Amino acid sequence: MQQIVSRLQLPLWLSLAVLAAFPLFELTFYTELLTKIMIMAIFAMSLDLLVGYTGLVSLGHAAFFGLAGYTLALIAPQYEAANLWLTLGVAILVSALAALVIGLFVLRTKGVYFIMVTLAFAQMFYFVFHDTDLGGGSDGLFLYFKPDAAIAGFKPFDLENTLHFYYFVLISLVVSYFLLCRILRSPFGHALVGIKTNEHRMQSLGYPVFYYKLASFAIGGSLAGFAGYLSACQYGFVNPEILSWHQSGSVLLMVILGGQGAFYGAAIGAFVFVLLQEFLSSLTKHWQLFMGVIIVLLVLYLPGGLRSIGPLLRASLLGKTANVKPPAGNDPPDIAQEESANDRSDSLH
Amino acid sequence: MTEAILFTDNLSRHYGGIAANSQVSITLRRGQLHAVLGPNGAGKTTLINLLSGDVAASHGSIRFGDQEISGFSAHRRSRIGIGRSYQKTNIFPSFTVFENTRLAAQSRQPRPFKIFSSALSYKEIVDTALSALERTGLSDRRDDVASTLSHGEQRQLEIAMVLATRPDVLLLDEPLAGMGSEESAQMVQLLKQLSPHHAILIVEHDMDAVFAIADVITVMVNGQVLEHGPPRQIRSSVAVQQAYLGHEDDP
């Protein structure tokens, strides 16, 4: 039986269509805002792989985001555009290596200690860039030219063009999403969710749990690096704030707001978080107070995150109980949902 | 003579001044069902934990074939063929019954880090999982979420997961605990079927079942081996009756 459009796929395709059509309205400010949001969505999804699927609540994820941004700013030539493909590769590689090395240390800890050591490592990077001249100190570094996408003389698109940059980011978001869903469907992905659910049993079934977690941490770090690279491109500068614990905290909030354990949830979280931030800060300079209240209310009344609104509404309309359980403690991540978001409906389990 | 697979030599585990296991020497052979009896706190579960690697030994050695494995981690021992079940059900409650066993079978996949293939496309693993469900009588429930199973069925799933890793040695911690009489009879039947091809160590409180299926019985008291031998010898042992079986007969 072939299900053509699953319940989850329809809203996803619709959102994609809206995002793809948005620049036609020629609202440059909002096009740039959406670009930023989509970059944050990639960042949030990369963290959801750790938080929602591997059970690793990291409070230092900005380290990998910021490292890639700094890598671009440091290796880019000052008076001409850098090669996009080369610098992107190097930046992601730096983030991946950093995640591997940091992972070797932090993954020896669990729970609240894990949160603390990831925070500590990220702060180390923050102070390295803040207090030394390596990356221009607290002022950061400027990037005067956006990277050049030319391959052997042929230039498929131009990142200096706002629209081109928008679509480049949109495609990056879509590719990241499907890549992550694909990983989740693999034996490796299933093992990660097993580790989140019952790490001890995974160990006794013969899984070298540490290496699985390390691989997940490195994949999450690389993808965070990808987002950090795009962000540095967009703004044309990097400063230590992009590695700060505020940044790590914000992205964690996005994951929690959207609903951990589903990549589209993390993306929803990024959209709502950044839009709220923009909206509230345009109203008052005490916007963080209102932001805090809204977050508390959302967490209290929507413990499953914003992504659970749909099923809850449907359930109350149909008078049935919702099929999305709020994640209380060890919630089951939605492998099934995420898989149906992909292309198969013949799932065996 | 049956093939000896797993040996312990003077295996001990101390917690502070308390010896949970003291100088335990046993041998597990393929084709032999080896039961461990003893009152609560005798160190039976500790023995299984020591063999499976969940707990490190304080002294003594554990050999698997020619290999000294007392330094091996739990996952490495599982990989060489030592499978265990838990006294307190230890499953993936939010997964389906099938996914629980599939994940167990997948642990034997040669290239675990292939991240772009579908987990359900590995026929051999799916088949192993399905056959483990069939042997434990859970085929009908394969699409149900594990937490919705009855306690007895969860015990069966616990065993199915061990079988799906295709171990040579089975360490079963009270597999019959909490099962109804019908489920229990089914499990005893399964153990009899498994016995010829596996080395089985079973900790169990159900005396009737133990004496019906065990080839060898070790009786432990206070972390030490009190008596060791075939069921007939254990039944008639004065020491055992005094230390353990005597209490059972009291109304």
Side-chain angles (χ1 to χ4, degrees):
Chain A
M1 286 281 276
Q2 196 64 41
Q3 216 178 343
I4 298 179
V5 178
S6 81
R7 259 197 227 155
L8 182 64
Q9 273 182 321
L10 187 62
L12 281 180
W13 287 113
L14 278 179
S15 332
L16 182 59
V18 171
L19 285 175
F22 189 83
L24 298 176
F25 298 104
E26 296 189 341
L27 303 161
T28 313
F29 171 77
Y30 289 103
T31 305
E32 283 177 2
L33 180 61
L34 268 184
T35 308
K36 172 187 172 183
I37 291 177
M38 291 191 293
I39 292 172
M40 294 315 278
I42 297 176
F43 188 25
M45 292 192 311
S46 76
L47 181 62
D48 197 26
L49 178 69
L50 306 186
V51 176
Y53 290 104
T54 320
L56 299 170
V57 181
S58 167
L59 198 49
H61 209 48
F64 312 117
F65 181 88
L67 270 179
Y70 266 101
T71 304
L72 169 63
L74 286 170
I75 63 175
Q78 204 171 356
Y79 301 111
E80 56 180 318
N83 179 308
L84 169 68
W85 311 109
L86 182 71
T87 50
L88 180 60
V90 173
I92 292 180
L93 198 68
V94 168
S95 288
L97 282 177
L100 268 180
V101 174
I102 293 175
L104 278 177
F105 294 100
V106 298
L107 290 168
R108 293 176 193 282
T109 63
K110 287 202 172 80
V112 75
Y113 301 101
F114 181 78
I115 296 177
M116 293 192 46
V117 287
T118 48
L119 175 64
F121 267 102
Q123 286 301 90
M124 261 165 55
F125 282 106
Y126 173 82
F127 283 111
V128 164
F129 285 105
H130 189 275
D131 294 354
T132 69
D133 289 333
L134 178 66
S138 59
D139 296 334
L141 293 171
F142 281 89
L143 193 68
Y144 295 100
F145 304 92
K146 289 197 169 46
D148 180 3
I151 312 166
F154 169 67
K155 196 165 179 172
F157 51 86
D158 181 5
L159 293 184
E160 296 287 357
N161 179 320
T162 312
L163 272 189
H164 286 201
F165 193 79
Y166 177 88
Y167 284 109
F168 182 65
V169 171
L170 176 59
I171 291 171
S172 302
L173 174 64
V174 172
V175 169
S176 305
Y177 178 78
F178 282 102
L179 208 68
L180 285 170
C181 289
R182 187 88 205 205
I183 290 175
L184 205 65
R185 257 176 42 192
S186 73
F188 173 73
H190 281 240
L192 291 186
V193 182
I195 289 169
K196 179 179 179 182
T197 309
N198 189 344
E199 180 172 343
H200 176 223
R201 187 60 194 244
M202 287 299 278
Q203 198 112 42
S204 77
L205 287 175
Y207 285 93
V209 166
F210 180 80
Y211 294 104
Y212 277 83
K213 291 205 270 192
L214 187 61
S216 171
F217 199 72
I219 294 171
S222 314
L223 196 59
F226 183 34
Y229 178 93
L230 292 174
S231 181
C233 284
Q234 184 181 15
Y235 291 111
F237 74 88
V238 291
N239 68 17
E241 287 311 307
I242 61 171
L243 308 132
S244 72
W245 70 270
H246 296 101
Q247 183 84 343
S248 297
S250 298
V251 69
L252 189 57
L253 274 176
M254 291 173 197
V255 171
I256 294 168
L257 276 185
Q260 49 159 314
F263 294 120
Y264 65 91
I268 293 173
F271 274 81
V272 172
F273 186 90
V274 179
L275 286 176
L276 266 179
Q277 206 172 24
E278 288 292 324
F279 172 67
L280 292 173
S281 62
S282 71
L283 293 181
T284 160
K285 68 175 180 183
H286 303 296
W287 62 276
Q288 284 181 315
L289 180 65
F290 296 96
M291 187 78 167
V293 171
I294 291 175
I295 288 172
V296 169
L297 288 177
L298 278 174
V299 170
L300 276 179
Y301 292 103
L302 266 179
L306 289 162
R307 74 179 169 95
S308 62
I309 285 183
L312 282 174
L313 276 181
R314 198 181 309 123
S316 63
L317 286 177
L318 300 173
K320 288 187 213 151
T321 46
N323 61 353
V324 170
K325 280 186 286 180
N330 271 340
D331 61 310
D334 273 337
I335 297 194
Q337 276 209 37
E338 208 73 64
E339 279 183 357
S340 66
N342 243 311
D343 52 356
R344 55 190 305 143
S345 51
D346 58 335
S347 131
L348 261 168
H349 68 96
Chain B
M1 187 63 186
T2 46
E3 174 199 359
I5 305 182
L6 192 66
F7 317 82
T8 73
D9 187 23
N10 284 319
L11 194 61
S12 304
R13 168 73 206 195
H14 301 280
Y15 290 103
I18 299 164
N21 265 213
S22 176
Q23 305 194 320
V24 175
S25 302
I26 59 168
T27 302
L28 302 183
R29 299 172 189 280
R30 195 188 293 280
Q32 206 173 59
L33 200 145
H34 191 135
V36 177
L37 295 179
N40 287 330
K44 306 178 299 270
T45 295
T46 302
L47 176 60
I48 286 192
N49 284 340
L50 286 169
L51 293 176
S52 71
D54 285 59
V55 165
S58 308
H59 303 288
S61 80
I62 306 168
R63 274 189 305 132
F64 183 80
D66 311 326
Q67 231 173 347
E68 172 63 42
I69 61 161
S70 48
F72 282 26
S73 59
H75 74 80
R76 213 169 146 199
R77 293 195 209 188
S78 166
R79 296 193 89 82
I80 58 175
I82 302 175
R84 74 162 292 181
S85 74
Y86 288 84
Q87 179 182 3
K88 191 167 166 284
T89 304
N90 191 358
I91 57 177
F92 303 97
S94 55
F95 295 178
T96 62
V97 169
F98 171 71
E99 175 65 6
N100 266 275
T101 41
R102 199 204 58 76
L103 208 47
Q106 182 192 304
S107 65
R108 304 302 125 132
Q109 188 180 319
R111 281 190 290 169
F113 291 106
K114 275 184 82 174
I115 58 174
F116 294 121
S117 57
S118 167
L120 303 175
S121 66
Y122 294 85
K123 194 173 174 304
E124 207 185 312
I125 286 164
V126 169
D127 288 347
T128 307
L130 291 178
S131 102
L133 289 179
E134 196 173 332
R135 293 174 89 168
T136 46
L138 283 173
S139 293
D140 297 345
R141 315 260 353 217
R142 66 173 237 204
D143 293 325
D144 295 318
V145 174
S147 60
T148 66
L149 298 185
S150 71
H151 180 74
E153 286 170 325
Q154 292 191 1
R155 302 298 302 159
Q156 285 167 281
L157 178 57
E158 179 80 35
I159 306 295
M161 287 164 74
V162 185
L163 291 183
T165 66
R166 300 184 170 189
D168 290 312
V169 178
L170 285 162
L171 309 171
L172 307 177
D173 200 351
E174 300 199 24
L176 304 178
M179 280 193 176
S181 59
E182 198 181 317
E183 288 162 336
S184 191
Q186 226 177 35
M187 186 59 68
V188 165
Q189 204 52 43
L190 175 64
L191 290 175
K192 279 183 182 162
Q193 268 175 40
L194 293 171
S195 178
H197 313 290
H198 298 81
I200 303 179
L201 181 132
I202 175 174
V203 167
E204 185 50 59
H205 280 298
D206 182 338
M207 289 299 149
D208 295 335
V210 166
F211 280 98
I213 56 177
D215 300 303
V216 184
I217 296 177
T218 296
V219 179
M220 289 179 72
V221 173
N222 294 331
Q224 286 173 318
V225 174
L226 180 73
E227 188 79 56
H228 173 90
R232 206 181 316 115
Q233 181 190 328
I234 297 299
R235 214 189 286 267
S236 57
S237 157
V238 179
V240 171
Q241 275 172 14
Q242 275 175 351
Y244 182 48
L245 294 178
H247 299 290
E248 290 280 302
D249 291 338
D250 291 337

